[in-house]
Amino acid sequence: MSQNYDFRTLSPLEFEAFCINLTAAELGLPFETFAEGRDRGIDGRYEHEGRTIIVQAKHFRNSTWAKLEKAAEDESRNLKILNPDRYIFTTSQPLSPDRKDKLKAALDHRSVSVGDIWGQTELNALLQKHPDVERRNIKLWMSSTEVLRTLLNNHIIVASQAILFDIKRTMKIYVATRAVGQALETLDKRRCLIISGPPGAGKTTLSQVLAAKHVSEGWKLVSIMNVEDGWRAFQEDERQLFLFDDFLGKIDLERSLSGNEQESLNKFFQHVGRSTNKRLILTSRSYILEAAREKSETLDEVRVRLAEQVLQLSAYSRVERGLILYNHLYHSDIDDKAIEALIDSNCLGRIIDHRNYMPRLIEWMTDRLRVNDVAPEDYPAAFIATLENPTKIWEKPFRHISKQANVLLFSLFASDDFMSFRGNGVSFARLMPFFCRALRGFGLTSGDGIGGNALEETLREINSSFVTVHEGRVNFVNPSLQDFLKTRICDSNILAVLIAASGSHDATVRLWNIARSMPADIARDLAAKVISSIRSGWLAGKMQVSDFFDLIDSLGSKSHDWTLVDDLRRSNWVRLTWNPADLPAFISKLQHYHNPNIPEIATYVRFFYRELFQFVKNSPSLRELTLLAENLTEHPIATSQAFKALFKKAATLEIESLEIPDREDETGRLAEDWLKAIDKIENYLPLDIEEKKNELDQFVDSWHTYLANRSGDYLSGSIGSARPDYRSADQSDAILTPLFQDLKTEVKP
């Protein structure tokens, strides 16, 4: 693993800790460390029986030899006071024999020897002797091109220069927090880990760091976009860690997990949990995960919750927040004067303690491209303003990109595929026609630039800054960009063009849901455009029938044009679809629906009753019958005795056909799921299946006994909290202020 490191990825604090660890490994002695700030010339110290060894580290990443020599002269005053028996001076700068002699002369103390002045070459040589020190310093080797290529070959990430840059930056600015120890302990015990938290909390960063640690231990990493990818990549004899980032989607949870998705996720979760050479890391936003749990028993199971770690922004200590800000400023390319203005403004505490503090906002506000137009003296105020209103961070960059790029972002925002459950973005094939029609609508092309070239050229302009491109799909770099675009898209002219450019029902409906809140006269005109687009018949995709009824109602009430009702009168169902298990709720709604502009409601009710009857007649699965029973219980509708008899027959046949699983196989949990399903069905309609229920109950009892007795049951035990060894528990400004002052002196000499 060893490289010829220049140590640029480490901040001064991290370089100091690295040097102390390396010295301790080389000498075989324990060194004490001290709080951040003015250290009186002591970064590490060993004392025993009156003998003292001191370690002093000087990073000086961007500094000159002259300034390093001057720093050594300054340290000589501390040396005379401290008077150690041995003094080890370390620096990340490369040192020639002549320069080592000059540093010894500058330090001017009996405790200093040329052999104890370690520069870049000596540090790399010591790393060869002490590989454990290198392995523990992930930020060193994870940022090297060779290691990154290894990760790419192991499929942790696609071979994209933009993503490579993101990984390198992540490892530079990463700060070890308590969350790392907790996550590692959970992953070790459960073998599966769900990292949840609000946007910008650092979920992806934490998952990458955990992945890096496992790579250092010889694990193969597999980045997956869905569970099917995981099954395809599964190798029984390999140590594999599966990384499933944002596994429940980017923005909204518009539907529940399908039965097949739940079953596949559940089986994969169980299989990894049973495998000693497999690990699974998933990330999700808290609100999406909780919404999914309301609809999915799989995600609400005890063993899944035990594998979850909630990464709350409030979990970061004040020192951790300060170190995150420090690392971002240190590794940034922004004007030194802006950093000095920030330090001198006395607003560091306000930033660290701000209610909207999040690592992602800190990253944005230390990105040179985003703050390049901010005068150094205005930087502190701009930083605070961004925290007050995070979406404002996109305003200036949005104005500075081309009009074509603006249109591409609008097109991406409105695209129906973007709102898909998995949040994988929009394919080029889906995005291109929408984008090209929108360009024409905005008058930005005469037609010559239409096609793949226009899309590719525009994507190159905003790739990595506004969007990401992965395997032929385009996605937003951050959800806050959608929040910003939603405010910009609320313009009658923009909405009119996008509605005309939309090529799908889903995108058109999404745009209308924004347009309907516009002033009455504007909403009326836009409703007319939506009606015209839908009636044209060229929109792709289908709509849920319940959504179509709501659409007719809202469009008609805004435009007073009820011509879309004709589609229902002609029974034109080609563009409509429905989930039979959800029909009771829709039938109940229709039965209470009163609108003179939509007549013949009773006809539609009879039609969907027939659909419901036909659905049960076609022998649905136990899961489908369970969902239908839940809906019939929650939305009681009048059903015939013939329907109830048919339902009872179908449910009884499905339940009686269930085969008791092998107790030794963890799929035995299916029996518990089956009993829950039976209870839900019998809440709607009692069944004569006592013998099968008793058989399942007996099996579940024996299964629980087996679990209780099984050695090393992965559900047992508590999740501890391994806290990194920070050198100070003090979180006051007295500790943080000297830390940031170093950015004006040592870091930016």
Side-chain angles (χ1 to χ4, degrees):
M1 183 189 297
S2 291
Q3 312 285 318
N4 186 22
Y5 298 115
D6 61 10
F7 307 103
R8 295 175 65 85
T9 59
L10 303 181
S11 72
L13 292 176
E14 292 160 345
F15 179 74
E16 173 188 317
F18 160 73
C19 289
I20 294 169
N21 289 335
L22 190 58
T23 305
E26 173 66 8
L27 302 184
L29 299 173
F31 279 77
E32 59 180 327
T33 57
F34 302 91
E36 294 84 356
R38 302 306 178 191
D39 54 23
R40 297 185 300 109
I42 305 174
D43 287 333
R45 181 175 64 189
Y46 169 77
E47 286 188 322
H48 182 67
E49 296 181 351
R51 176 175 168 80
T52 303
I53 303 174
I54 288 177
V55 178
Q56 185 67 18
K58 296 295 182 185
H59 196 359
F60 280 33
R61 175 190 62 173
N62 293 324
S63 190
T64 63
W65 157 250
K67 290 186 177 179
L68 177 61
E69 188 176 27
K70 175 64 167 59
E73 292 175 358
D74 293 339
E75 288 298 332
S76 67
R77 291 190 291 271
N78 289 326
L79 263 175
K80 289 181 175 60
I81 298 172
L82 296 169
N83 196 29
D85 296 285
R86 184 176 180 182
Y87 184 81
I88 300 174
F89 184 89
T90 62
T91 178
S92 56
Q93 286 197 14
L95 299 176
S96 64
D98 180 61
R99 287 186 172 181
K100 293 180 74 169
D101 288 336
K102 289 181 178 180
L103 285 175
K104 181 180 183 301
L107 290 166
D108 189 25
H109 192 267
R110 63 175 180 80
S111 62
V112 182
S113 69
V114 172
D116 283 340
I117 298 178
W118 300 344
Q120 188 180 114
T121 302
E122 289 77 15
L123 294 177
N124 276 288
L126 287 170
L127 278 176
Q128 295 279 355
K129 290 179 60 179
H130 305 288
D132 287 346
V133 175
E134 180 183 23
R135 193 176 299 279
R136 289 197 302 270
N137 280 269
I138 296 175
K139 294 180 70 167
L140 281 179
W141 52 267
M142 259 298 287
S143 299
S144 75
T145 302
E146 181 178 332
V147 174
L148 286 173
R149 286 204 181 100
T150 300
L151 291 178
L152 296 181
N153 293 335
N154 284 297
H155 311 297
I156 185 177
I157 230 134
V158 295
S160 160
Q161 289 301 314
I163 302 247
L164 284 174
F165 174 82
D166 288 343
I167 295 177
K168 288 182 179 180
R169 179 165 174 78
T170 294
M171 297 315 298
K172 284 181 181 179
I173 61 180
Y174 166 68
V175 172
T177 67
R178 292 165 292 180
V180 177
Q182 294 169 346
L184 285 171
E185 185 172 351
T186 302
L187 195 56
D188 184 57
K189 286 184 177 180
R190 314 297 176 197
R191 298 171 185 165
C192 299
L193 172 68
I194 299 176
I195 306 172
S196 71
K203 300 181 293 295
T204 299
T205 297
L206 177 58
S207 69
Q208 288 180 349
V209 170
L210 296 174
K213 182 180 185 301
H214 281 76
V215 167
S216 75
E217 296 170 353
W219 291 70
K220 301 291 186 181
L221 261 91
V222 183
S223 177
I224 61 177
M225 301 298 289
N226 50 60
V227 177
E228 287 69 31
D229 289 346
W231 286 118
R232 284 193 292 269
F234 203 97
Q235 298 292 328
E236 291 289 349
D237 297 330
E238 283 191 348
R239 289 201 298 171
Q240 292 176 297
L241 186 144
F242 298 92
L243 186 60
F244 195 172
D245 194 23
D246 216 353
F247 79 109
L248 289 176
K250 301 287 184 185
I251 301 301
D252 292 323
L253 190 67
E254 294 190 329
R255 65 174 178 85
S256 61
L257 280 164
S258 71
N260 289 337
E261 287 169 330
Q262 286 201 56
E263 183 177 0
S264 183
L265 178 61
N266 190 24
K267 286 183 177 178
F268 192 69
F269 205 100
Q270 291 179 13
H271 200 45
V272 171
R274 292 193 302 269
S275 304
T276 58
N277 64 345
K278 297 292 182 288
R279 299 290 186 270
L280 172 63
I281 300 175
L282 309 98
T283 70
S284 175
R285 296 184 182 193
S286 295
Y287 72 89
I288 292 181
L289 181 57
E290 289 307 313
R293 279 179 167 152
E294 293 181 2
K295 302 177 181 180
S296 168
E297 292 181 4
T298 295
L299 294 175
D300 203 36
E301 289 183 358
V302 172
R303 61 192 172 83
V304 176
R305 287 190 176 273
L306 283 174
E308 181 188 359
Q309 176 169 344
V310 180
L311 190 59
Q312 296 289 3
L313 292 167
S314 59
Y316 291 117
S317 71
R318 197 163 190 261
V319 167
E320 289 168 352
R321 290 177 177 226
L323 289 172
I324 290 171
L325 176 58
Y326 175 93
N327 270 10
H328 278 80
L329 289 171
Y330 174 76
H331 287 289
S332 73
D333 293 324
I334 60 179
D335 193 325
D336 291 354
K337 293 181 180 179
I339 295 179
E340 292 181 7
L342 187 68
I343 296 170
D344 293 338
S345 67
N346 295 321
C347 67
L348 290 172
R350 289 179 62 193
I351 292 172
I352 293 169
D353 298 329
H354 199 282
R355 66 185 183 282
N356 289 335
Y357 177 100
M358 65 178 70
R360 185 168 293 139
L361 282 181
I362 301 304
E363 179 182 352
W364 287 341
M365 286 307 295
T366 52
D367 185 336
R368 179 179 59 83
L369 293 177
R370 298 183 188 278
V371 300
N372 199 38
D373 294 333
V374 178
E377 62 271 18
D378 297 331
Y379 183 57
F383 211 125
I384 295 294
T386 298
L387 289 170
E388 291 291 337
N389 188 353
T391 60
K392 282 188 175 182
I393 197 167
W394 297 107
E395 288 182 356
K396 187 170 291 185
F398 185 81
R399 291 198 304 269
H400 286 182
I401 59 178
S402 68
K403 296 297 183 184
Q404 287 84 353
N406 291 160
V407 173
L408 178 55
L409 292 175
F410 286 141
S411 302
L412 182 61
F413 177 84
S415 294
D416 56 326
D417 201 25
F418 176 69
M419 298 306 295
S420 66
F421 176 69
R422 291 188 177 91
N424 292 341
V426 186
S427 68
F428 287 174
R430 181 69 63 90
L431 183 59
M432 187 184 299
F434 194 150
F435 173 57
C436 292
R437 288 191 296 265
L439 282 179
R440 292 193 193 99
F442 285 108
L444 294 176
T445 179
S446 61
D448 296 337
I450 292 297
N453 288 340
L455 178 61
E456 290 176 9
E457 290 173 5
T458 309
L459 282 174
R460 277 197 294 270
E461 177 187 350
I462 58 176
N463 188 22
S464 80
S465 56
F466 286 82
V467 299
T468 60
V469 180
H470 173 42
E471 295 184 350
R473 303 184 75 82
V474 186
N475 213 333
F476 288 113
V477 297
N478 187 264
S480 67
L481 179 53
Q482 285 110 265
D483 296 335
F484 167 75
L485 289 172
K486 188 173 182 179
T487 64
R488 296 301 299 261
I489 213 169
C490 288
D491 177 281
S492 59
N493 295 324
I494 294 175
L495 285 168
V497 171
L498 293 177
I499 288 170
S502 171
S504 70
H505 285 103
D506 286 345
T508 300
V509 170
R510 184 166 187 236
L511 290 166
W512 169 243
N513 287 335
I514 297 173
R516 66 195 296 181
S517 62
M518 303 287 284
D521 55 336
I522 296 176
R524 181 183 65 247
D525 294 340
L526 294 174
K529 292 183 179 297
V530 173
I531 291 172
S532 175
S533 183
I534 292 175
R535 297 207 69 188
S536 70
W538 72 285
L539 294 181
K542 293 187 176 184
M543 277 189 285
Q544 286 288 328
V545 66
S546 56
D547 293 338
F548 188 59
F549 269 82
D550 291 339
L551 181 65
I552 290 175
D553 194 14
S554 64
L555 287 171
S557 63
K558 293 291 185 180
S559 66
H560 306 295
D561 178 356
W562 298 93
T563 55
L564 282 179
V565 176
D566 294 339
D567 287 351
L568 294 175
R569 289 178 178 147
R570 291 193 300 268
S571 296
N572 183 13
W573 302 103
V574 176
R575 69 177 60 130
L576 301 179
T577 185
W578 52 86
N579 181 1
D582 293 334
L583 284 178
F586 184 53
I587 292 172
S588 177
K589 180 178 180 178
L590 288 180
Q591 289 175 332
H592 295 88
Y593 190 83
H594 301 289
N595 188 328
N597 295 298
I598 306 180
E600 304 175 10
I601 293 295
T603 302
Y604 308 139
V605 170
R606 288 194 296 273
F607 173 83
F608 287 112
Y609 264 120
R610 288 196 299 272
E611 286 294 302
L612 193 59
F613 191 91
Q614 190 62 40
F615 170 65
V616 178
K617 188 176 180 180
N618 290 336
S619 302
S621 66
L622 178 62
R623 176 167 178 77
E624 290 173 324
L625 287 167
T626 304
L627 290 173
L628 178 57
E630 286 184 286
N631 275 284
L632 286 166
T633 303
E634 186 176 355
H635 305 282
I637 57 175
T639 54
S640 65
Q641 290 301 317
F643 173 82
K644 292 177 180 177
L646 184 65
F647 184 97
K648 185 173 183 178
K649 179 181 178 182
T652 300
L653 286 174
E654 279 295 303
I655 294 169
E656 292 292 353
S657 67
L658 297 175
E659 295 184 5
I660 301 297
D662 183 356
R663 192 191 68 177
E664 300 301 319
D665 191 333
E666 198 164 333
T667 56
R669 291 187 182 279
L670 285 173
E672 288 185 313
D673 297 335
W674 291 340
L675 283 171
K676 292 176 184 177
I678 292 171
D679 286 342
K680 291 175 180 178
I681 290 174
E682 291 200 309
N683 282 338
Y684 166 65
L685 192 67
L687 305 175
D688 299 323
I689 52 168
E690 290 305 313
E691 185 176 344
K692 175 61 73 172
K693 286 175 63 177
N694 289 335
E695 184 181 2
L696 290 171
D697 278 329
Q698 291 173 8
F699 171 79
V700 169
D701 287 343
S702 66
W703 168 246
H704 280 295
T705 300
Y706 167 72
L707 282 181
N709 295 331
R710 189 174 65 180
S711 175
D713 177 13
Y714 71 90
L715 289 177
S716 67
S718 60
I719 299 176
S721 57
R723 179 186 177 89
D725 185 20
Y726 278 114
R727 288 174 289 167
S728 173
D730 189 349
Q731 300 187 20
S732 67
D733 286 342
I735 292 298
L736 293 174
T737 300
L739 168 66
F740 284 92
Q741 287 295 328
D742 284 345
L743 288 173
K744 294 169 54 179
T745 56
E746 183 171 330
V747 178
K748 302 285 184 178

